Coordinates of all heavy atoms in Angstrom, one line a residue:
M520 N 0.8 -1.2 0.0 CA 0.1 0.1 0.0 C 0.9 1.2 0.0 O 0.6 2.2 -0.7 CB -0.9 -0.1 1.3 CG -2.0 1.1 1.3 SD -3.2 0.9 -0.2 CE -3.9 2.6 -0.1
V521 N 1.9 1.3 0.8 CA 2.8 2.3 0.9 C 3.5 2.6 -0.5 O 3.6 3.8 -1.0 CB 3.8 2.2 2.0 CG1 4.9 3.3 2.1 CG2 3.1 2.0 3.3
K522 N 3.9 1.4 -1.1 CA 4.5 1.6 -2.5 C 3.6 2.2 -3.5 O 4.1 3.0 -4.3 CB 4.8 0.1 -2.9 CG 6.3 -0.2 -2.6 CD 6.7 -1.6 -3.3 CE 8.0 -2.0 -3.1 NZ 8.2 -3.3 -3.8
V523 N 2.3 1.9 -3.5 CA 1.3 2.5 -4.5 C 1.3 4.0 -4.1 O 1.3 4.8 -5.1 CB 0.0 1.8 -4.3 CG1 -1.2 2.5 -5.1 CG2 0.1 0.3 -4.7
L524 N 1.2 4.4 -2.9 CA 1.2 5.7 -2.5 C 2.3 6.5 -3.0 O 2.4 7.7 -3.5 CB 0.9 5.9 -1.0 CG -0.5 5.9 -0.5 CD1 -0.5 5.9 0.9 CD2 -1.2 7.1 -1.1
L525 N 3.5 5.9 -2.8 CA 4.8 6.5 -3.3 C 4.8 6.8 -4.8 O 5.2 7.7 -5.2 CB 5.9 5.6 -3.0 CG 7.3 6.1 -3.0 CD1 7.6 7.1 -1.7 CD2 8.4 5.2 -3.1
W526 N 4.3 5.7 -5.6 CA 4.2 5.9 -7.0 C 3.2 7.0 -7.4 O 3.6 7.8 -8.4 CB 3.8 4.5 -7.7 CG 4.9 3.6 -7.9 CD1 5.2 2.4 -7.3 CD2 5.9 3.9 -8.8 NE1 6.4 1.9 -7.8 CE2 6.9 2.8 -8.8 CE3 6.2 4.9 -9.7 CZ2 8.0 2.6 -9.5 CZ3 7.5 4.8 -10.6 CH2 8.3 3.7 -10.4
V527 N 2.1 7.1 -6.7 CA 1.1 8.2 -7.1 C 1.8 9.6 -6.8 O 1.8 10.4 -7.6 CB -0.2 8.0 -6.1 CG1 -1.0 9.3 -6.2 CG2 -0.9 6.8 -6.6
V528 N 2.5 9.6 -5.7 CA 3.3 10.9 -5.4 C 4.4 11.2 -6.5 O 4.4 12.4 -6.9 CB 3.8 10.8 -3.9 CG1 4.8 12.0 -3.7 CG2 2.8 10.9 -2.9
V529 N 5.1 10.2 -6.8 CA 6.1 10.3 -7.9 C 5.5 10.8 -9.2 O 6.0 11.8 -9.8 CB 6.9 9.0 -8.1 CG1 7.8 9.2 -9.4 CG2 7.9 8.8 -6.9
I530 N 4.4 10.1 -9.7 CA 3.8 10.5 -10.9 C 3.2 11.9 -10.9 O 3.4 12.8 -11.8 CB 2.5 9.4 -11.2 CG1 3.3 8.1 -11.7 CG2 1.8 10.0 -12.4 CD1 2.3 7.0 -11.6
L531 N 2.6 12.3 -9.7 CA 2.0 13.6 -9.6 C 3.1 14.7 -9.7 O 3.0 15.7 -10.2 CB 1.2 13.8 -8.3 CG -0.1 13.2 -8.2 CD1 -0.8 13.3 -6.9 CD2 -1.1 13.9 -9.2
A532 N 4.3 14.3 -8.9 CA 5.4 15.2 -9.0 C 6.0 15.4 -10.4 O 6.3 16.6 -10.9 CB 6.5 14.8 -8.1
V533 N 6.1 14.4 -11.3 CA 6.4 14.4 -12.6 C 5.6 15.3 -13.5 O 6.0 16.1 -14.3 CB 6.7 13.0 -13.2 CG1 6.8 12.9 -14.7 CG2 7.8 12.3 -12.5
I534 N 4.2 15.1 -13.3 CA 3.3 15.9 -14.0 C 3.4 17.4 -13.7 O 3.3 18.2 -14.6 CB 1.9 15.3 -13.7 CG1 1.6 14.0 -14.4 CG2 0.7 16.4 -14.2 CD1 0.5 13.3 -13.9
L535 N 3.5 17.6 -12.4 CA 3.8 19.1 -11.9 C 4.9 19.6 -12.6 O 4.9 20.8 -13.0 CB 3.8 19.1 -10.5 CG 3.6 20.4 -9.7 CD1 2.1 20.7 -9.6 CD2 4.2 20.4 -8.3
V536 N 6.1 18.9 -12.6 CA 7.3 19.5 -13.2 C 7.1 19.7 -14.7 O 7.6 20.8 -15.2 CB 8.4 18.6 -12.8 CG1 9.7 18.8 -13.7 CG2 8.9 18.6 -11.5
M537 N 6.5 18.8 -15.3 CA 6.3 19.0 -16.8 C 5.3 20.2 -17.2 O 5.5 20.9 -18.1 CB 5.5 17.7 -17.4 CG 6.6 16.6 -17.7 SD 5.8 15.0 -18.0 CE 5.3 15.2 -19.7
R538 N 4.3 20.4 -16.3 CA 3.5 21.6 -16.5 C 4.2 22.9 -16.3 O 4.0 23.9 -17.1 CB 2.3 21.4 -15.5 CG 1.2 20.5 -15.9 CD 0.0 20.4 -15.2 NE -0.8 21.6 -15.4 CZ -2.0 21.8 -14.9 NH1 -2.6 20.8 -14.2 NH2 -2.8 22.8 -15.2
V539 N 5.1 22.9 -15.3 CA 5.8 24.1 -15.0 C 6.7 24.3 -16.2 O 6.9 25.5 -16.7 CB 6.7 24.0 -13.8 CG1 7.7 25.1 -13.6 CG2 5.7 24.0 -12.5
I540 N 7.5 23.4 -16.7 CA 8.3 23.5 -17.8 C 7.5 24.0 -19.1 O 8.1 25.0 -19.8 CB 9.1 22.2 -18.1 CG1 10.1 22.0 -17.0 CG2 9.8 22.3 -19.5 CD1 10.7 20.6 -17.0
A541 N 6.5 23.4 -19.3 CA 5.6 23.9 -20.5 C 5.2 25.2 -20.4 O 5.2 26.0 -21.4 CB 4.4 22.9 -20.6
A542 N 4.8 25.7 -19.2 CA 4.4 27.0 -18.9 C 5.6 28.1 -19.2 O 5.4 29.1 -19.7 CB 3.8 27.2 -17.5
Q543 N 6.8 27.7 -18.7 CA 7.9 28.6 -19.0 C 8.2 28.6 -20.4 O 8.5 29.7 -20.9 CB 9.1 27.9 -18.2 CG 9.2 28.2 -16.8 CD 10.4 27.7 -16.0 OE1 11.0 26.7 -16.5 NE2 10.7 28.3 -15.0
K544 N 8.2 27.6 -21.2 CA 8.4 27.5 -22.6 C 7.3 28.5 -23.4 O 7.7 29.3 -24.2 CB 8.4 26.2 -23.2 CG 9.6 25.4 -23.1 CD 9.6 24.1 -23.8 CE 10.8 23.3 -23.7 NZ 10.7 21.9 -24.3
L545 N 6.2 28.4 -23.0 CA 5.1 29.2 -23.6 C 5.3 30.7 -23.3 O 5.2 31.5 -24.2 CB 3.8 28.7 -22.9 CG 2.5 29.2 -23.7 CD1 2.1 28.5 -25.0 CD2 1.3 29.2 -22.8
R546 N 5.7 31.1 -22.1 CA 6.1 32.4 -21.7 C 7.2 32.9 -22.5 O 7.2 34.0 -23.1 CB 6.4 32.5 -20.2 CG 5.8 33.8 -19.6 CD 6.1 33.8 -18.1 NE 5.5 32.8 -17.4 CZ 5.9 32.1 -16.3 NH1 7.0 32.6 -15.8 NH2 5.2 31.2 -15.7
Q547 N 8.3 32.1 -22.7 CA 9.4 32.4 -23.5 C 9.0 32.7 -24.9 O 9.5 33.7 -25.5 CB 10.6 31.4 -23.5 CG 11.4 31.5 -22.2 CD 12.4 30.4 -22.1 OE1 12.3 29.4 -22.8 NE2 13.4 30.6 -21.4
N548 N 8.3 31.8 -25.5 CA 7.8 32.0 -26.9 C 7.0 33.3 -26.9 O 7.2 34.0 -28.0 CB 6.9 30.9 -27.3 CG 7.7 29.6 -27.6 OD1 8.9 29.7 -27.7 ND2 7.0 28.5 -27.8
Q549 N 6.2 33.6 -26.1 CA 5.5 34.8 -26.2 C 6.3 36.1 -26.1 O 6.1 37.1 -26.7 CB 4.4 34.9 -25.1 CG 3.2 34.0 -25.4 CD 2.1 33.9 -24.2 OE1 2.5 34.3 -23.0 NE2 0.9 33.5 -24.6
Q550 N 7.3 35.9 -25.2 CA 8.2 37.1 -25.0 C 9.0 37.4 -26.4 O 9.3 38.4 -26.8 CB 9.3 36.8 -23.9 CG 8.7 37.1 -22.5 CD 9.5 36.9 -21.4 OE1 10.5 36.2 -21.6 NE2 9.2 37.4 -20.2
N551 N 9.4 36.1 -27.0 CA 10.2 36.2 -28.2 C 9.4 36.9 -29.3 O 9.8 37.8 -30.0 CB 10.6 34.9 -28.7 CG 11.9 34.4 -27.9 OD1 12.4 35.1 -27.2 ND2 12.2 33.1 -28.0
R552 N 8.2 36.5 -29.4 CA 7.3 37.1 -30.3 C 7.0 38.5 -30.2 O 7.1 39.2 -31.2 CB 5.9 36.4 -30.4 CG 5.4 35.9 -31.7 CD 4.2 35.0 -31.6 NE 4.5 33.8 -31.1 CZ 3.6 33.0 -30.4 NH1 2.4 33.4 -30.1 NH2 3.9 31.8 -29.9
T553 N 6.9 38.9 -29.0 CA 6.5 40.4 -28.8 C 7.8 41.1 -28.9 O 7.7 42.3 -29.6 CB 6.0 40.6 -27.3 OG1 7.0 40.0 -26.3 CG2 4.7 40.2 -27.1
S554 N 9.0 40.7 -28.7 CA 10.2 41.4 -28.9 C 10.6 41.5 -30.4 O 10.9 42.5 -30.9 CB 11.5 40.9 -28.1 OG 11.7 39.5 -28.6
Q555 N 10.3 40.4 -31.1 CA 10.5 40.5 -32.5 C 9.5 41.4 -33.2 O 9.8 42.2 -34.1 CB 10.2 39.1 -33.1 CG 11.4 38.2 -33.1 CD 11.1 36.7 -33.6 OE1 9.9 36.4 -33.9 NE2 12.1 35.9 -33.6
H556 N 8.2 41.5 -32.7 CA 7.2 42.4 -33.2 C 7.7 43.8 -33.0 O 7.6 44.6 -33.9 CB 5.9 42.1 -32.4 CG 4.8 42.9 -32.9 ND1 4.3 42.7 -34.2 CD2 4.0 43.9 -32.4 CE1 3.2 43.5 -34.4 NE2 3.1 44.3 -33.2
N557 N 8.2 44.1 -31.8 CA 8.7 45.5 -31.4 C 9.8 45.8 -32.3 O 10.0 47.0 -32.8 CB 9.0 45.6 -30.0 CG 7.9 45.6 -29.0 OD1 6.8 45.7 -29.5 ND2 8.1 45.3 -27.8
R558 N 10.7 44.8 -32.7 CA 11.9 45.2 -33.5 C 11.5 45.4 -35.0 O 12.1 46.3 -35.7 CB 12.9 44.0 -33.5 CG 14.2 44.4 -32.9 CD 15.1 43.2 -32.8 NE 14.7 42.2 -31.6 CZ 14.8 40.9 -31.8 NH1 15.2 40.4 -32.8 NH2 14.4 40.2 -30.8
S559 N 10.4 44.7 -35.4 CA 10.0 44.9 -36.9 C 9.2 46.1 -37.1 O 9.1 46.6 -38.2 CB 9.3 43.6 -37.3 OG 8.1 43.5 -36.6
Q560 N 8.5 46.6 -36.1 CA 7.7 47.7 -36.3 C 8.3 49.0 -36.8 O 7.9 49.7 -37.7 CB 6.9 48.0 -35.0 CG 5.4 48.0 -35.3 CD 4.6 48.2 -34.0 OE1 5.1 48.3 -32.9 NE2 3.3 48.1 -34.1
P561 N 9.4 49.5 -36.2 CA 10.1 50.8 -36.6 C 10.4 50.8 -38.1 O 10.2 51.8 -38.9 CB 11.2 51.0 -35.8 CG 11.0 50.0 -34.6 CD 10.3 48.9 -35.1
S562 N 10.9 49.6 -38.6 CA 11.4 49.6 -40.0 C 10.3 49.6 -40.9 O 10.3 50.1 -42.0 CB 12.3 48.3 -40.2 OG 11.5 47.1 -39.9
K563 N 9.1 49.0 -40.4 CA 7.9 48.9 -41.2 C 7.3 50.3 -41.5 O 6.9 50.6 -42.5 CB 7.0 48.0 -40.6 CG 5.9 47.4 -41.4 CD 5.0 46.4 -40.7 CE 3.7 46.2 -41.2 NZ 2.9 45.4 -40.3
G564 N 7.3 51.1 -40.5 CA 6.7 52.4 -40.5 C 7.6 53.5 -40.8 O 7.3 54.7 -40.7
K565 N 8.8 53.1 -41.4 CA 9.7 54.1 -41.8 C 9.3 54.8 -43.0 O 9.2 54.1 -44.1 CB 11.1 53.4 -41.9 CG 12.3 54.3 -41.9 CD 13.6 53.5 -42.0 CE 14.8 54.4 -42.1 NZ 16.0 53.5 -42.4
A566 N 9.1 56.1 -43.0 CA 8.7 56.7 -44.3 C 9.7 57.5 -44.9 O 10.7 57.9 -44.3 CB 7.6 57.9 -43.8
E567 N 9.7 57.3 -46.3 CA 10.7 57.9 -47.1 C 10.3 59.4 -47.2 O 9.2 59.8 -47.4 CB 10.6 57.3 -48.5 CG 12.1 57.5 -49.2 CD 12.0 56.7 -50.6 OE1 11.1 55.8 -50.7 OE2 12.8 57.0 -51.4
P568 N 11.4 60.3 -47.2 CA 11.1 61.8 -47.3 C 10.6 62.0 -48.8 O 11.1 61.5 -49.7 CB 12.5 62.4 -47.1 CG 13.5 61.3 -47.3 CD 12.8 60.0 -47.0
M569 N 9.5 63.0 -48.8 CA 8.9 63.3 -50.0 C 9.6 64.6 -50.5 O 9.9 65.5 -49.8 CB 7.4 63.5 -49.7 CG 6.7 62.1 -49.3 SD 6.7 60.9 -50.5 CE 5.2 61.4 -51.4
V570 N 9.7 64.7 -51.8 CA 10.2 65.9 -52.4 C 9.1 66.4 -53.5 O 8.3 65.7 -53.9 CB 11.6 65.7 -53.1 CG1 12.6 65.4 -52.0 CG2 11.5 64.6 -54.1
R571 N 9.4 67.7 -53.9 CA 8.3 68.2 -54.8 C 9.0 68.6 -56.2 O 10.1 69.1 -56.1 CB 7.8 69.6 -54.1 CG 6.6 70.2 -54.8 CD 6.1 71.3 -54.0 NE 5.1 72.0 -54.6 CZ 5.3 73.1 -55.4 NH1 6.6 73.5 -55.5 NH2 4.4 73.7 -56.0
C572 N 8.3 68.2 -57.2 CA 8.8 68.6 -58.5 C 8.7 70.1 -58.7 O 7.7 70.7 -58.4 CB 8.2 67.9 -59.6 SG 8.6 68.5 -61.3
E573 N 9.7 70.7 -59.1 CA 9.7 72.2 -59.2 C 9.0 72.8 -60.4 O 8.8 73.9 -60.6 CB 11.1 72.9 -59.0 CG 11.7 72.6 -57.6 CD 13.0 73.2 -57.4 OE1 13.2 74.4 -58.0 OE2 13.8 72.7 -56.8
H574 N 8.7 71.8 -61.4 CA 7.9 72.3 -62.5 C 6.4 72.1 -62.3 O 5.7 73.0 -62.4 CB 8.4 71.4 -63.8 CG 7.7 71.7 -65.0 ND1 8.0 73.0 -65.7 CD2 6.8 71.2 -65.7 CE1 7.2 73.1 -66.8 NE2 6.4 72.0 -66.8
C575 N 6.0 70.8 -62.0 CA 4.7 70.6 -61.9 C 4.1 70.6 -60.4 O 2.9 70.5 -60.2 CB 4.2 69.3 -62.6 SG 5.0 67.8 -61.9
G576 N 4.9 70.6 -59.4 CA 4.6 70.5 -58.1 C 4.1 69.2 -57.5 O 3.7 69.2 -56.3
V577 N 4.3 68.1 -58.3 CA 3.9 66.8 -57.8 C 4.8 66.2 -56.7 O 6.1 66.7 -56.8 CB 3.7 65.9 -58.9 CG1 5.1 65.3 -59.4 CG2 2.9 64.6 -58.6
H578 N 4.3 65.6 -55.7 CA 5.2 65.1 -54.6 C 5.5 63.7 -54.8 O 4.6 62.9 -55.3 CB 4.5 65.2 -53.2 CG 4.4 66.7 -52.8 ND1 3.5 67.5 -53.2 CD2 5.2 67.3 -51.9 CE1 3.7 68.6 -52.6 NE2 4.7 68.6 -51.9
L579 N 6.8 63.2 -54.7 CA 7.1 61.9 -55.0 C 8.3 61.5 -54.0 O 9.0 62.4 -53.5 CB 7.6 61.7 -56.4 CG 8.8 62.5 -57.0 CD1 9.4 61.7 -58.2 CD2 8.5 63.9 -57.3
P580 N 8.5 60.2 -53.8 CA 9.5 59.8 -52.8 C 10.9 60.2 -53.4 O 11.1 60.3 -54.6 CB 9.5 58.2 -52.9 CG 8.2 58.0 -53.4 CD 7.7 59.1 -54.2
R581 N 11.8 60.5 -52.4 CA 13.1 61.1 -52.8 C 13.9 60.2 -53.7 O 14.6 60.6 -54.6 CB 13.9 61.2 -51.4 CG 15.0 62.2 -51.6 CD 15.9 62.3 -50.4 NE 16.7 63.4 -50.3 CZ 16.7 64.3 -49.4 NH1 15.8 64.1 -48.4 NH2 17.4 65.3 -49.5
S582 N 13.7 58.8 -53.6 CA 14.5 57.8 -54.3 C 14.0 57.7 -55.8 O 14.8 57.4 -56.6 CB 14.3 56.5 -53.8 OG 13.0 56.1 -53.8
Q583 N 12.8 58.3 -56.1 CA 12.3 58.2 -57.4 C 12.5 59.6 -58.1 O 12.2 59.7 -59.3 CB 10.8 57.9 -57.4 CG 10.6 56.5 -57.0 CD 9.1 56.1 -56.9 OE1 8.3 56.7 -57.4 NE2 8.7 55.1 -56.2
A584 N 12.9 60.6 -57.3 CA 13.1 61.9 -58.0 C 14.4 62.2 -58.5 O 15.4 61.5 -58.3 CB 12.9 63.0 -56.8
L585 N 14.4 63.0 -59.6 CA 15.6 63.4 -60.3 C 16.2 64.7 -59.6 O 15.4 65.6 -59.3 CB 15.4 63.7 -61.7 CG 15.1 62.6 -62.6 CD1 14.6 63.1 -64.0 CD2 16.3 61.7 -62.8
M586 N 17.5 64.7 -59.4 CA 18.1 65.9 -58.7 C 19.1 66.5 -59.4 O 20.0 65.8 -59.9 CB 18.5 65.5 -57.2 CG 17.3 65.2 -56.3 SD 17.9 65.1 -54.7 CE 16.7 63.9 -54.0
S587 N 19.1 67.8 -59.7 CA 20.3 68.5 -60.3 C 20.3 69.9 -59.8 O 19.3 70.6 -59.7 CB 20.0 68.3 -61.8 OG 18.9 69.1 -62.1
D588 N 21.5 70.4 -59.5 CA 21.8 71.6 -59.0 C 20.8 72.1 -57.8 O 20.3 73.2 -57.8 CB 21.7 72.8 -60.0 CG 22.6 72.5 -61.2 OD1 23.7 71.9 -60.9 OD2 22.2 72.7 -62.5
G589 N 20.6 71.1 -57.0 CA 19.6 71.4 -55.8 C 18.1 71.5 -56.1 O 17.4 71.8 -55.2
H590 N 17.9 71.2 -57.3 CA 16.4 71.2 -57.7 C 16.0 69.8 -57.8 O 16.7 68.8 -58.0 CB 16.3 71.9 -59.1 CG 16.6 73.3 -59.1 ND1 15.8 74.3 -58.5 CD2 17.7 74.0 -59.6 CE1 16.5 75.5 -58.7 NE2 17.7 75.3 -59.4
T591 N 14.6 69.6 -57.6 CA 14.1 68.1 -57.7 C 13.0 68.1 -58.8 O 12.3 69.1 -58.9 CB 13.5 67.8 -56.3 OG1 12.6 68.8 -55.8 CG2 14.5 67.5 -55.2
W592 N 13.0 67.1 -59.6 CA 12.1 66.9 -60.6 C 11.4 65.5 -60.6 O 12.1 64.6 -60.2 CB 12.8 67.1 -62.0 CG 13.8 68.3 -62.0 CD1 15.1 68.3 -61.8 CD2 13.4 69.8 -62.1 NE1 15.7 69.5 -61.8 CE2 14.7 70.4 -62.0 CE3 12.3 70.4 -62.3 CZ2 14.8 71.7 -62.1 CZ3 12.4 71.7 -62.5 CH2 13.6 72.4 -62.3
C593 N 10.3 65.5 -61.2 CA 9.6 64.2 -61.3 C 10.1 63.5 -62.5 O 9.9 62.2 -62.5 CB 8.0 64.3 -61.2 SG 7.5 65.1 -62.8
S594 N 10.6 64.1 -63.5 CA 11.0 63.3 -64.7 C 12.0 64.2 -65.4 O 12.2 65.5 -65.1 CB 9.8 63.2 -65.7 OG 9.3 64.5 -66.0
L595 N 12.7 63.6 -66.3 CA 13.7 64.2 -67.1 C 13.2 65.4 -67.9 O 13.9 66.4 -68.1 CB 14.4 63.1 -68.0 CG 15.8 63.5 -68.5 CD1 16.9 63.7 -67.5 CD2 16.3 62.5 -69.5
D596 N 12.0 65.1 -68.4 CA 11.3 66.2 -69.3 C 11.1 67.4 -68.4 O 11.4 68.6 -68.9 CB 9.9 65.6 -69.7 CG 9.3 66.5 -70.8 OD1 10.0 66.8 -71.6 OD2 8.2 66.6 -70.7
H597 N 10.7 67.3 -67.1 CA 10.4 68.4 -66.4 C 11.7 69.2 -65.9 O 11.8 70.4 -65.7 CB 9.6 68.1 -65.2 CG 8.0 68.0 -65.5 ND1 7.2 67.8 -64.6 CD2 7.6 68.0 -66.7 CE1 6.1 67.6 -65.2 NE2 6.2 67.7 -66.5
A598 N 12.8 68.4 -65.9 CA 14.1 68.9 -65.5 C 14.6 69.9 -66.7 O 15.3 70.8 -66.4 CB 15.1 67.8 -65.3
K599 N 14.3 69.5 -68.0 CA 14.7 70.2 -69.1 C 13.9 71.6 -69.2 O 14.4 72.5 -69.5 CB 14.5 69.4 -70.4 CG 15.4 68.4 -70.7 CD 15.0 67.5 -71.9 CE 16.0 66.4 -72.1 NZ 15.5 65.5 -73.1
H600 N 12.6 71.4 -68.8 CA 11.7 72.6 -68.8 C 12.1 73.5 -67.7 O 11.9 74.8 -67.9 CB 10.3 72.2 -68.6 CG 9.6 71.6 -69.8 ND1 9.5 72.4 -70.9 CD2 9.2 70.4 -70.1 CE1 8.8 71.6 -71.9 NE2 8.7 70.3 -71.4
G601 N 12.7 73.1 -66.6 CA 13.0 74.1 -65.6 C 11.8 74.5 -64.6 O 10.7 74.0 -65.0
P602 N 12.0 75.3 -63.7 CA 11.0 75.7 -62.7 C 9.9 76.4 -63.4 O 10.3 77.3 -64.3 CB 11.6 76.5 -61.7 CG 13.1 76.3 -61.8 CD 13.3 75.8 -63.2
R603 N 8.7 76.2 -63.1 CA 7.6 76.8 -63.8 C 7.4 78.3 -63.1 O 7.5 78.4 -61.9 CB 6.2 76.1 -63.6 CG 5.1 76.8 -64.4 CD 4.1 75.8 -64.8 NE 3.5 75.1 -63.7 CZ 2.5 74.1 -64.0 NH1 2.2 73.8 -65.1 NH2 2.0 73.5 -62.9
K604 N 7.3 79.3 -64.1 CA 7.2 80.7 -63.6 C 5.8 81.1 -63.2 O 4.8 80.6 -63.9 CB 7.8 81.6 -64.7 CG 9.3 81.6 -64.6 CD 9.9 81.7 -66.0 CE 11.3 81.1 -66.0 NZ 11.7 80.7 -67.4
Ligands
LIG1282 ZN1 7.1 67.4 -62.7

């Protein structure tokens, strides 16, 4: 009888330890996910500076604009025309 009780206690202890380990793993996964989420957010929301074509006044991302002599243009054609008077 004492042996059976001992086995029950051992099995309960093993179950308890497994549940604690599983809960810790779950918490670590959630922490990893939230930290990755926080890291990915700033790059996602990073806005490219906008510039204005000096001929037609259209706004476009800096990487797509043509630049010459400190002026910005939306196209080569507008760069040839120059600023609108
Ligand atoms: Zn333009």
Side-chain angles (χ1 to χ4, degrees):
M520 189 63 192
V521 177
K522 263 190 177 177
V523 172
L524 272 175
L525 193 77
W526 273 113
V527 169
V528 168
V529 167
I530 289 166
L531 282 176
V533 167
I534 289 169
L535 196 77
V536 167
M537 279 168 76
R538 285 185 73 172
V539 167
I540 289 169
Q543 278 181 341
K544 276 187 181 174
L545 197 75
R546 214 177 301 147
Q547 277 181 341
N548 283 349
Q549 281 175 343
Q550 280 177 345
N551 285 349
R552 225 174 291 152
T553 50
S554 64
Q555 278 174 355
H556 186 69
N557 288 344
R558 244 178 283 143
S559 64
Q560 233 174 5
S562 60
K563 199 174 155 189
K565 202 174 170 184
E567 201 177 345
M569 298 294 276
V570 292
R571 189 172 171 272
C572 174
E573 288 183 38
H574 182 78
C575 64
V577 77
H578 288 83
L579 64 159
R581 202 190 196 119
S582 62
Q583 288 175 25
L585 289 169
M586 289 189 209
S587 62
D588 302 326
H590 299 284
T591 51
W592 316 100
C593 67
S594 62
L595 198 64
D596 193 43
H597 285 183
K599 282 178 192 166
H600 283 293
R603 190 150 55 181
K604 285 142 200 164

